[in-house]
Structures are given as C-alpha cells and as structure tokens.
Amino acid sequence: MSNNKDEKRALGSAALHRKEIRRKRLMDNKVYLVMNVLTRYMDRYYLDALIGLIPGWGDAIAFLSVVPFLYFSSGVVKSIPLTLAVLNNALRDLLMGMIPFFVGDVIDFFYRSNIRNLQMIQGFVDGDEIIIRQVNQRAWQSAIILVVLLLLIVLMIWALFSFASFLYSLVASIF
C-alpha cells in the first residue's frame, strides 16, 4: 500500500515539475515579454489613451497592441476560449475608445484592456482554476459578444463617416 502512495506521489511530483517547466517556457517566451512591455506603456503609462486622441486613427493604431496577446493565447497557449476572451476585451476597448467628443479617450484612461488580458493569460498559464473556469464558461458568451461588438464597431465607423460627410457638406455649403 505504501508503494502505491509513493508511486502516486512520484507521479504528482513529475506532473508538477512538467507544469513548472511549461510555465517557465511560456513566461520566457519573447512574445510574453513583448506583452509585458506593451502593457506597461499602453496601460500603465496611458499611451493607449494618448494615441486615442489622434482623430479617426488613434484607436485603430492602439488596437494593434492586441496582436501579441492574440498570438500568444492562440499560438503559444493554444486556447480558443482564452483567445476569444482576449479579443473580447480588445474589441470592447476599441468600441469604447471610438465614442466621439473625447468621451472615448477619457474611458481609455480607465478601461485598461491590456492589463486585463495579461492578467487573464497569466492566470490561465499559472493554472488559476478560477480564471480558467471563468474563461471556459464565457467562451460562448464571448463569441456572441464579439459578433455584437463587431457590428457595433461597423455601425460606429458608419456613424462617424456620416457625421464627417455631414460636416463637410455643411462647411462646403457655407463657402
């Protein structure tokens, strides 16, 4: 009987060792290091909000910072639910940043999607059961929300172009 316990303990120790090696390999990945740098500059130093001040293009440029997160969650961690959750956070940030009249830029100071994504990825890699359960439970919800967010982003772009063409025609009619 004690031999059986020793085997289980050895198997558990080996599994824990493999998990630690995998975690270290993921954390030493160059993309992971890039994600940390992006998070520091985009969210902690508010570069996301500052870039968002560029009319029309700022939020789209800031949205590019999600690419390493998407690559890491889909290509390195290989988790579809995690990738959906990361994309969900990024699209929410994009949509909120597109709200006109500096409202979106103010929201960008408070909604820090890169920090949220990094915490979610770290929890997933660390095996945090709460984060893994939340990500898995919200996989379908994230897919539906992503479709809705994409539609809202398209509508926001259409509204912004319509408003810009209205302003242009108004100014052109004055002159």
Side-chain angles (χ1 to χ4, degrees), residues 73 79-89 138-140 142-143 146:
S73 62
S79 170
I80 292 172
L82 180 62
T83 303
L84 285 172
V86 166
L87 189 56
N88 187 339
N89 279 339
R138 295 180 184 167
W140 284 107
S142 294
L146 289 174

Side-chain angles (χ1 to χ4, degrees), residues 126-139:
D126 288 344
D128 184 336
E129 292 180 20
I130 294 171
I131 290 177
I132 291 172
R133 193 175 328 116
Q134 287 174 349
V135 167
N136 288 332
Q137 286 174 350
R138 295 180 184 167

